[in-house]
Amino acid sequence: MSAKERYFLRPEICKACGGECCRRCPGIVYPSDIRGDKKKGIKNLLSSGKYAVDYWQGGMKGQTGEEAYFIRPVIKGYERNLVHAGWGGECIFLTENGCPLPPWKRPRECRMLEPIKGECKQHARNKGSIVKRWLPFGHIIDEVLEELGAF
């Protein structure tokens, strides 16, 4: 399987629609996207000014009313915000030619988006399931935000 097939790369489809999915909301980074030391990886992402902490409230079994924090690319207009609960908006990485990040450096939710003419297909799980993967790392996100002066 080629990289183009493995990462659902179809730039001609994305360019034709102008990156509609990426204009709606940035994809979520999975904890597994961060190799090695999670704290260092989270700190590097947030220090870049191109990623932010977002959060999900309730709706997960055993987590009703509680928040789960996760990492995603910044929404344009909110650059350098360490925390931004976005209800949607254009991904900071979107350009007129699509995403400049190599496929293997994109958030997993982005890598799992298959461009299909007319409507894209998301192969990642629903947002609640993705965010649930971040629950064990909430304390690390808090520590990093404190170290970066978010509080």
Side-chain angles (χ1 to χ4, degrees), residues 7-23 25-27 50-51 73-74 76 90-111 113 115:
Y7 294 115
F8 302 114
L9 298 178
R10 296 195 181 93
E12 65 286 349
I13 293 174
C14 294
K15 188 166 182 153
C17 86
E20 186 176 322
C21 296
C22 303
R23 281 187 279 127
C25 194
K50 296 185 182 212
Y51 291 85
V74 167
K76 285 182 182 175
E90 191 170 312
C91 178
I92 191 168
F93 294 114
L94 182 62
T95 70
E96 64 182 39
N97 295 316
C99 184
L101 296 176
W104 56 91
K105 291 207 174 204
R106 296 175 186 172
R108 182 161 190 244
E109 192 176 32
C110 300
R111 294 192 312 268
L113 183 64

Side-chain angles (χ1 to χ4, degrees), residues 73-86:
V74 167
I75 291 172
K76 285 182 182 175
Y78 296 93
E79 293 84 348
R80 292 281 172 203
N81 284 25
L82 292 173
V83 179
H84 179 247

Side-chain angles (χ1 to χ4, degrees), residues 17-38:
C17 86
E20 186 176 322
C21 296
C22 303
R23 281 187 279 127
R24 264 185 278 180
C25 194
I28 298 172
V29 174
Y30 279 50
S32 59
D33 290 338
I34 300 171
R35 305 264 189 246
D37 183 90
K38 295 294 186 217

